[in-house]
């Protein structure tokens, strides 16, 4: 993931924010700065005060900073170029099989609409995403942006090789064939994962938010 910060499923996204010197006195408090070799906190003179979780996702920000420093000025540009290249390469290879939400060159991600496919076969974006799991691929972002019906947002990222992208494309094409020739198969996918299709409505109404030892032991066995 770009700058090592995951945000699939709506979170946790995080980033560093820079402001001009004139704005600094108004920043949320406390502010961390270095003094005599130590990191200390101070409250800006006109601070608006603390915000909820004002330190944010510190680990994510730290990872992003470490990644940026490791890449350097040239590396960041090269990384960004690869991310854009990978996305456009994959988009081009899939454009004959899937409807793209927008024509032309994309940035680091592209969005496919499976509206027509669902209309013709009954196979939804979610069904294609579930089918990917049987081929060892993590599903892309589903149903976002909300303005595009049956959306799948694909983001290859800068670290994927041409071979891995080619494999993903082949899987997407295979799933499209299955949707047309045997839609019932995809409606029950995945078949190889430990957990297949949880009840989304039940999970939303009665979420399990604590670790359960019995489930963990069963998984290991």
């Amino acid at each position: 993931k770009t700058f090592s910060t995951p945000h699939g499923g709506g979170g946790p996204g995080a980033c560093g924010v820079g402001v001009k010197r004139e704005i600094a006195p108004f920043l949320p408090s406390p502010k961390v700065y270095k003094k005599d070799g130590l990191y200390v906190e101070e409250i800006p003179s006109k601070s608006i005060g603390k915000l909820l979780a004002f330190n944010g996702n510190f680990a994510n920000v730290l990872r992003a900073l470490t990644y940026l420093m490791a890449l350097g000025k040239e590396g960041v540009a090269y990384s960004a170029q690869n991310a854009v290249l990978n996305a456009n390469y994959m988009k081009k290879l899939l454009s004959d099989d899937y409807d793209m939400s927008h024509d032309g060159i994309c940035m680091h991600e592209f969005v496919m609409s499976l509206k027509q496919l669902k209309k013709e076969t009954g196979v939804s974006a979610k069904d294609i995403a579930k089918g990917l799991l049987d081929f060892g691929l993590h599903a892309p972002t589903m149903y976002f942006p909300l303005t595009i019906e049956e959306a799948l947002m694909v983001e290859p990222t800068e670290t994927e090789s041409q071979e891995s992208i080619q494999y993903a494309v082949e899987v997407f094409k295979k799933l499209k064939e299955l949707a047309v020739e045997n839609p019932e198969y995809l409606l029950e996918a995945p078949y190889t994962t430990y957990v297949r299709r949880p009840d989304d409505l039940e999970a939303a109404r009665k979420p399990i938010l604590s670790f359960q030892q019995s489930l963990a032991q069963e998984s290991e066995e």
Side-chain angles (χ1 to χ4, degrees):
K1 182 72 189 119
T2 306
F3 300 145
S4 79
T5 306
H7 57 256
C15 67
V17 178
V19 299
K20 291 186 176 180
R21 189 180 302 275
E22 293 82 357
I23 303 297
F26 300 92
L27 288 175
S29 60
K31 173 184 173 184
V32 178
Y33 71 103
K34 197 170 186 179
K35 180 180 180 181
D36 299 329
L38 299 175
Y39 289 97
V40 297
E41 294 181 343
E42 72 169 6
I43 299 178
S45 59
K46 299 180 180 179
S47 174
I48 62 174
K50 287 186 177 182
L51 300 178
L52 180 65
F54 61 91
N55 283 326
N57 295 304
F58 176 76
N60 284 351
V61 177
L62 182 60
R63 280 199 298 272
L65 176 61
T66 304
Y67 191 36
L68 287 169
M69 294 179 69
L71 288 172
K73 181 179 180 180
E74 293 78 13
V76 168
Y78 181 72
S79 176
Q81 290 165 0
N82 277 340
V84 174
L85 177 62
N86 283 348
N88 280 279
Y89 177 64
M90 191 170 182
K91 179 183 179 184
K92 179 65 177 178
L93 293 178
L94 289 175
S95 59
D96 291 337
D97 295 272
Y98 290 88
D99 296 328
M100 301 296 161
S101 63
H102 298 87
D103 296 327
I105 296 175
C106 65
M107 295 300 289
H108 64 294
E109 61 192 14
F110 61 93
V111 179
M112 303 186 295
S113 172
L114 278 67
K115 175 184 177 181
Q116 190 63 28
L117 182 66
K118 183 179 181 180
K119 181 179 179 180
E120 296 173 357
T121 68
V123 174
S124 66
K126 179 180 179 179
D127 297 323
I128 293 294
K130 294 293 185 181
L132 288 170
L133 301 177
D134 285 329
F135 292 87
L137 295 177
H138 193 286
T141 300
M142 298 184 294
Y143 300 117
F144 184 84
L146 302 178
T147 54
I148 298 173
E149 292 188 51
E150 294 298 322
L152 283 180
M153 177 183 284
V154 183
E155 186 175 358
T157 78
E158 70 280 1
T159 56
E160 295 296 338
S161 65
Q162 184 177 356
E163 290 76 16
S164 65
I165 291 177
Q166 197 70 44
Y167 174 70
V169 167
E170 292 171 2
V171 171
F172 269 107
K173 288 178 177 287
K174 175 65 176 178
L175 294 176
K176 172 67 180 300
E177 293 177 6
L178 281 172
V180 175
E181 299 172 2
N182 188 10
E184 291 78 14
Y185 180 88
L186 277 180
L187 295 178
E188 296 296 326
Y191 295 89
T192 61
T193 57
Y194 177 72
V195 177
R196 293 187 59 191
R197 288 219 181 191
D199 186 325
D200 293 344
L201 184 58
E202 184 71 9
R205 289 179 173 176
K206 299 178 181 179
I208 299 175
L209 303 178
S210 60
F211 178 78
Q212 294 188 7
Q213 186 67 30
S214 59
L215 290 179
Q217 291 175 342
E218 184 179 345
S219 177
E220 291 175 358
E221 295 173 357

